[in-house]
């Protein structure tokens, strides 16, 4: 997607696995790495697609999704820098593309 106008904030999409054992998935979002980052929010995904609150570009974000599987807890982790890039050649007019706007927290 290419956006001709874009604010300084954007939503990250959470990709999670919803199934019979995990009808909802708790997510903790961090500014920085999960080991030493600051918790930004705690959320629960009940349906897809699901998005974070508005986040600033140019920063690294990571998240942990907690799943249940046969009585055990499994954590799925992903992290990326949320970036916007000015593209002056792909479209008829200058526009922005976004990178790092999806955190893949699905079970493998």
């Amino acid at each position: 997607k290419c956006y001709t106008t874009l604010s300084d904030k954007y939503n990250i999409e959470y990709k999670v696995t919803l199934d019979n054992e995990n009808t909802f998935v708790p997510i903790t979002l961090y500014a920085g790495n999960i080991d030493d980052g600051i918790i930004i929010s705690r959320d629960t995904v009940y349906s897809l697609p699901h998005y974070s609150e508005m986040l600033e570009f140019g920063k690294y974000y990571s998240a942990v999704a907690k799943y249940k599987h046969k009585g055990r807890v499994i954590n799925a982790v992903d992290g990326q820098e949320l970036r916007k890039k000015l593209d002056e050649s792909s479209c008829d007019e200058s526009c922005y593309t976004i990178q790092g706007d999806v955190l893949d927290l699905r079970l493998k």
Side-chain angles (χ1 to χ4, degrees):
K1 290 183 177 179
C2 200
Y3 302 93
T4 54
T5 59
L6 194 59
S7 72
D8 290 335
K9 294 185 176 187
Y10 197 76
N11 301 91
I12 288 177
E13 179 182 358
Y14 300 124
K15 289 198 175 197
V16 300
T17 302
L18 296 173
D19 57 23
N20 290 337
E21 199 170 11
N22 297 281
T23 56
F24 61 90
V25 179
I27 294 176
T28 305
L29 178 66
Y30 297 84
N33 293 311
I34 61 169
D35 295 331
D36 57 5
I38 297 167
I39 294 175
I40 296 174
S41 69
R42 295 180 194 272
D43 199 357
T44 303
V45 176
Y46 292 96
S47 63
L48 298 174
H50 192 88
Y51 299 92
S52 71
E53 62 187 60
M54 298 294 277
L55 302 172
E56 293 179 39
F57 285 104
K59 295 188 178 186
Y60 187 87
Y61 299 97
S62 56
V64 177
K66 289 192 181 282
Y67 293 95
K68 297 174 281 183
H69 182 68
K70 297 180 182 178
R72 297 181 308 150
V73 174
I74 297 173
N75 292 324
V77 178
D78 193 16
Q80 294 194 44
E81 181 181 348
L82 181 60
R83 295 178 287 163
K84 65 180 175 180
K85 179 182 174 188
L86 182 60
D87 184 340
E88 298 181 290
S89 61
S90 296
C91 299
D92 293 339
E93 59 184 304
S94 296
C95 62
Y96 292 95
T97 57
I98 298 170
Q99 298 168 333
D101 61 329
V102 176
L103 293 181
D104 190 350
L105 302 168
R106 294 176 289 188
L107 289 174
K108 303 289 182 206

